[in-house]
Amino acid sequence: MRFKTLLAAGAIACVAAAVPASADEGMWTFDAFPAARMKADYGWAPDQAWLDRTRAAAVRLTGGCSASFVSGEGLILTNHHCVASCLSNLSTAQNDLLANGFNPATRAQERTCPGQQAELVTSIRDVTGDVKGVMAGLSGAALVKARDARIAEIEKSSCTDPATTRCQVVTLFGGGQYKLYTYRKYSDIRIAWAPEAQMAFFGGDPDNFNFPRYAMDGAFLRAYEGGKPVMTPQHLVWSPRAPKDGEATFVVGNPGTTRRLDTEAQRAYRREISLPMSLILMSEYRGRLIAAMGEDKDKLREGEDELSGVENSFKAQMGQFRSLNDAQFTAAMRETEMALKGKAAPGVDPWGSIAAADAAYRQFYLEDSFVKGGPAGYSTLFGYARTLVRGAAERGKPNAERLPGYTDSALPLTEKRLIDPRPVYPWLEELGIAFWSSKMREYLGADNGDVKMLLGKESPENLAKRLVAGSTLADPAVRKALWEGGADAIAKSDDPMIKLALAMDARSREIQKRYDAEVDGPITAAKAQIADARFAAYGEANYPDATFTLRISYGKVQGWTERGNAVPFATYMGGTFDRATGDFPYNLSPAFAAAASKIDRSIIYNFVTTNDIIGGNSGSPVLDKDGHVIGAAFDGNIHSLGGAFGYDGMLNRTVVVSSA
C-alpha cells in the first residue's frame, strides 16, 4: 500500500510498548497467533489447519510488498503500486505501461519484472538461544560481529539449495528473540495484468491515506520456473463477493517496520533529528523532480515512479513528525515506558544505555546519513557500483566475516538485483547525484574532509555530469562481467562510478564500525534486556515490532466516526463518476471511461477494516472467515498511519480494493 508510518494528531495509541495487545491490535507471527484472545473477542478463531493453509499461499515480494497465490498455476495477487516499478522499467516512449495498463492476450506475452522475487515461508524455527549464546559477555562492535557471524552460519547451514530456498534469521523484540525463517523462492516473476495507473491511483496524492477511495489498486503477477508457470495447488480461493459490514477479516502479509517498542530516547531522536532533516530533503528533492519532469513528456514518464515514491514517503513522514509532537500522544507513550521501568529488575537500566547510544549517534549521524551510503538512495548507477565494489571485497572473505547482504544466503538476491536489466535515465541520475552532493556539502560544510575527498574542486553539477556520462554500468553485460571478474576486474576498471565507490568504501566501513561499536551493539544488548523485562512482567501475550516478515492480523469490516460524522465502511463503483472532475488527479482513465455503460455502479469498490497493518502490507490478501480472498489491502486512512507507534481501534482503518 502507499502506506508508511505516521499518526494523526490526538490519537492515543494503545500501550503496545508495554502491556498485552487490545482487541484487533497486533501483527502476529504465525507461530504465536492469539487464537484464545480472538475467540474471546469474536466467538471464533481459526484453527491450526486454517493457519497452515493460509501461510502456504502467502507471498513476500522482494520489492517491499506482500501478495498471495490465487490460482493453481502461479497467479499472484498484489497491488498495482507494487508493480509500478516493473511497469515503468518495461515501458518505452512508444508504450507507457503505467499509463496504458498491461493486459496480455496470452501467457507467452507476460513479461519478466527486473529484480523481483517471490518468497513463501515454509518453516519458522526459534534460534534465540543459539544467537544469544555467542553474544554472552560481549559488548559494542564485538557483540555485533559475533551476532552477525552466527546468523550467517545458521543461514548457510540451513539452506543447502540456494537456487530454490532462502534462509533469513530475523531479529524480534529488538533482540529478545531470533527466529529462522526458511523460504521457498521463485526468481522468475512476470507481470500478468495491471490496470491503467489512473484507474489504480484515482485521486492521486490528495486521496492518498484517505477514505472514501475509488481506486483499482490491484494487479497480478505470475511465478515461473524453468520457463513454465509454477504449479501452486496450495493457493487461496478467490471469492468475488462484496464484504459484509461487521464480518471478521484477516490480513496476511509482511508489514515493514514499526517502532512500537522504541524508547523515549529513540523517539526523541526521530522527532528532533532524523524526521526534520528527512522532510526538508524530500521536499527539495521533490521540487527538483517536478521541475525537471515538466521539461518534456519523456521525463514525465521516466520520473513518474520516482516522484510517486517521494510524495508517498513525504506525506507519511510528515504525519509521523506531527504525531511525535502531539503532547497527548507522547505523554501516553512515556507513561507506558515508566510502567515497564517500574517492573524491571532493580539496578537494570537498559533505557539509560539506549539514551547514551543515541547521544553518541547524534555526534556522527550526518556522516552516517550522507557519506556511508553515498548517493545510492538517489542513483541507480552508484548503487550498482557500490554493490560491485563491496561484492568483490566481501566474497573473498569467509562467510561468517562478511557484511550483511553479501553472505552466502543473501548473495543470490544481491546478484539478481545487480544483473537484471532495467532502464537507467541519465537526467534522473544527474539530478540525484547533484542533489546528494550539494546537500552533503551544505550539511557537513565545504571544509569537511569527506566533502573535500568526494567533491574536490568540482561543483555538484559537474561531478554528476562527469560520473553519469563516463559510466557504462547501465549495461547489464558490463555489470555481469565486473561481478564475475571480482576484485581484479574492479581494480582495473576505469568507470568513474566504480572509482567513486572505491574512494568512499574505506570511509564508509569506518563509519559503520563506529556505528556498530557505539550504537548497534549497545542498543542490541539493551533491547534484549527490555524484552526480558517485558516478558517477565506481562508474559508473551504480545507481538514483536514489524520486520517485513510474515504476519497475520485479525479485525472486522467497519467504518468509523470522524468529527461527529459516520464514515461508511464502503464505496461503490458509481462514486468514481460522481467524484470525477475531468482534471488530474480526478480524471477517469480512458478504459474506465470507455466502459462506463458496462459498469455496475452499485458494486462495492473499496472498503475499510479494523485490521492492524503498516507499510509492507501492500498487496496483502484480505480474507474472510472461510479463508477466501475478498480483497487486497492497499492503503490506510490518515489515522492508521500512526501504526508506527501504536494502534487506535476507534480510528485506525485498513483500506481494501474489493474482489467484487
Side-chain angles (χ1 to χ4, degrees), residues 335-570:
E335 288 175 10
T336 62
E337 184 170 304
M338 292 302 297
L340 184 57
K341 282 183 177 181
K343 295 179 180 293
V348 176
D349 184 24
W351 293 272
S353 298
I354 291 175
D358 171 78
Y361 187 51
R362 289 176 183 236
Q363 301 303 309
F364 68 97
Y365 77 94
L366 287 174
E367 289 86 350
D368 190 67
S369 300
F370 286 103
V371 181
K372 188 175 77 175
Y378 298 99
S379 166
T380 298
L381 291 175
F382 182 81
Y384 289 149
R386 188 177 65 172
T387 298
L388 288 164
V389 167
R390 282 283 172 92
E394 296 301 308
R395 284 182 296 160
K397 301 176 182 177
N399 182 56
E401 296 179 14
R402 298 178 198 166
L403 291 173
Y406 298 92
T407 58
D408 286 341
S409 62
L411 275 177
L413 183 56
T414 298
E415 183 177 356
K416 175 179 173 58
R417 287 173 167 169
L418 172 71
I419 295 176
D420 276 6
R422 68 185 73 195
V424 174
Y425 304 114
W427 72 269
L428 190 57
E429 292 289 308
E430 287 186 20
L431 186 151
I433 293 173
F435 178 75
W436 160 76
S437 52
S438 67
K439 295 295 104 177
M440 179 182 64
R441 184 176 62 183
E442 176 183 329
Y443 277 80
L444 294 176
D447 294 327
N448 176 270
D450 291 320
V451 174
K452 287 182 175 180
M453 174 188 71
L454 297 171
L455 270 179
K457 298 291 185 179
E458 288 184 284
S459 69
E461 292 74 22
N462 285 341
L463 172 68
K465 288 180 180 179
R466 178 176 63 80
L467 291 173
V468 175
S471 180
T472 60
L473 297 183
D475 185 345
V478 171
R479 301 195 299 270
K480 187 173 188 294
L482 286 168
W483 179 260
E484 293 176 349
D488 185 57
I490 293 298
K492 292 178 180 178
S493 174
D494 60 358
D495 190 290
M497 285 290 183
I498 294 290
K499 289 184 175 181
L500 177 63
L502 282 168
M504 297 183 68
D505 191 54
R507 179 65 174 132
S508 177
R509 290 173 184 269
E510 179 183 317
I511 295 169
Q512 183 64 51
K513 287 180 180 178
R514 183 177 180 184
Y515 182 85
D516 291 346
E518 299 180 27
V519 184
D520 190 3
I523 288 179
T524 295
K527 284 276 192 172
Q529 289 181 316
I530 292 175
D532 291 342
R534 185 180 295 108
F535 295 149
Y538 304 111
E540 297 192 16
N542 217 318
Y543 57 92
D545 266 326
T547 54
F548 195 49
T549 49
L550 188 61
R551 306 292 178 90
I552 180 170
S553 72
Y554 70 84
K556 56 183 171 291
V557 177
Q558 186 180 74
W560 76 98
T561 300
E562 184 81 28
R563 295 190 294 274
N565 298 312
V567 179
F569 76 90

Side-chain angles (χ1 to χ4, degrees), residues 17 41 74 124 132 260 266 297 299 308 334 343 346 362 466 484 547 609 628 637 645:
D41 294 339
I124 302 172
K132 279 190 170 183
R260 298 180 184 182
Q266 290 174 303
K297 64 179 182 179
K299 289 183 178 179
S308 178
R334 281 194 297 271
K343 295 179 180 293
R362 289 176 183 236
R466 178 176 63 80
E484 293 176 349
T547 54
T609 75
H628 295 172
N637 66 355
F645 307 113

Side-chain angles (χ1 to χ4, degrees), residues 308-332:
S308 178
V310 172
E311 288 184 331
N312 182 64
S313 296
F314 179 83
K315 196 170 187 179
Q317 290 189 25
M318 177 57 76
Q320 190 179 73
F321 181 63
R322 288 171 179 164
S323 73
L324 290 178
N325 283 280
D326 181 274
Q328 190 178 13
F329 175 69
T330 53

Side-chain angles (χ1 to χ4, degrees), residues 34-50:
R37 196 193 78 169
M38 183 183 178
K39 189 170 184 178
D41 294 339
Y42 283 79
W44 176 88
D47 59 18
Q48 191 59 48
W50 190 103

Side-chain angles (χ1 to χ4, degrees), residues 50-372:
W50 190 103
L51 293 170
D52 289 344
R53 285 195 305 271
T54 302
R55 188 186 75 172
V59 174
R60 180 172 73 169
L61 298 175
T62 53
C65 282
S66 299
S68 57
F69 281 118
V70 291
S71 86
E73 296 181 296
L75 196 66
I76 298 172
L77 169 69
T78 189
N79 289 151
H80 180 279
H81 73 261
C82 292
V83 304
S85 293
C86 171
L87 294 168
S88 178
N89 288 333
L90 297 176
S91 292
T92 64
Q94 293 72 39
N95 186 11
D96 184 346
L97 299 183
L98 271 175
N100 301 332
F102 183 72
N103 191 18
T106 66
R107 286 186 188 172
Q109 295 173 317
E110 294 175 353
R111 300 181 62 186
T112 300
C113 288
Q116 187 56 267
Q117 183 167 288
E119 302 171 342
L120 286 86
V121 173
T122 56
S123 68
I124 302 172
R125 178 163 63 91
D126 194 328
V127 293
T128 302
D130 194 345
V131 177
K132 279 190 170 183
V134 302
M135 295 188 289
L138 301 177
S139 62
L143 182 152
V144 173
K145 183 177 181 180
R147 178 199 65 194
D148 291 351
R150 186 60 191 135
I151 286 174
E153 291 166 357
I154 292 171
E155 290 176 344
K156 181 176 182 178
S157 64
S158 302
C159 278
T160 57
D161 181 14
T164 61
T165 60
R166 179 184 179 188
C167 287
Q168 182 181 25
V169 173
V170 179
T171 303
L172 302 175
F173 295 101
Q177 292 179 352
Y178 294 87
K179 300 287 182 74
L180 172 66
Y181 280 65
T182 302
Y183 295 90
R184 175 64 164 92
K185 70 178 187 180
Y186 299 98
S187 299
D188 183 357
I189 305 299
R190 307 182 191 184
I191 183 70
W193 175 83
E196 297 159 309
Q198 187 55 22
M199 192 186 302
F201 200 34
F202 178 80
D205 192 54
D207 276 7
N208 196 19
F209 302 129
N210 284 306
F211 193 82
R213 292 290 293 276
Y214 303 88
M216 195 175 289
D217 198 348
F220 290 101
L221 300 165
R222 194 184 304 277
Y224 282 75
E225 201 164 50
K228 298 179 180 179
V230 172
M231 295 297 102
T232 48
Q234 292 181 295
H235 62 273
L236 298 176
V237 175
W238 180 273
S239 178
R241 69 165 179 87
K244 300 174 183 177
D245 193 8
E247 72 169 302
T249 52
F250 301 84
V251 172
V252 177
N254 299 273
T257 302
T258 55
R259 296 180 175 86
R260 298 180 184 182
L261 304 182
D262 272 7
T263 67
E264 181 61 22
Q266 290 174 303
R267 289 189 291 269
Y269 169 76
R270 293 189 62 76
R271 179 176 60 248
E272 298 165 9
I273 303 293
S274 69
L275 281 171
M277 183 175 74
S278 179
L279 288 167
I280 291 170
L281 291 174
M282 279 194 291
S283 182
E284 183 175 341
Y285 182 55
R286 178 194 184 207
R288 293 194 187 194
L289 271 175
I290 291 173
M293 290 166 63
E295 295 174 7
D296 61 58
K297 64 179 182 179
D298 286 335
K299 289 183 178 179
L300 185 65
R301 171 181 60 82
E302 293 163 356
E304 181 179 2
D305 187 51
E306 178 78 357
L307 178 60
S308 178
V310 172
E311 288 184 331
N312 182 64
S313 296
F314 179 83
K315 196 170 187 179
Q317 290 189 25
M318 177 57 76
Q320 190 179 73
F321 181 63
R322 288 171 179 164
S323 73
L324 290 178
N325 283 280
D326 181 274
Q328 190 178 13
F329 175 69
T330 53
M333 289 191 290
R334 281 194 297 271
E335 288 175 10
T336 62
E337 184 170 304
M338 292 302 297
L340 184 57
K341 282 183 177 181
K343 295 179 180 293
V348 176
D349 184 24
W351 293 272
S353 298
I354 291 175
D358 171 78
Y361 187 51
R362 289 176 183 236
Q363 301 303 309
F364 68 97
Y365 77 94
L366 287 174
E367 289 86 350
D368 190 67
S369 300
F370 286 103
V371 181
K372 188 175 77 175

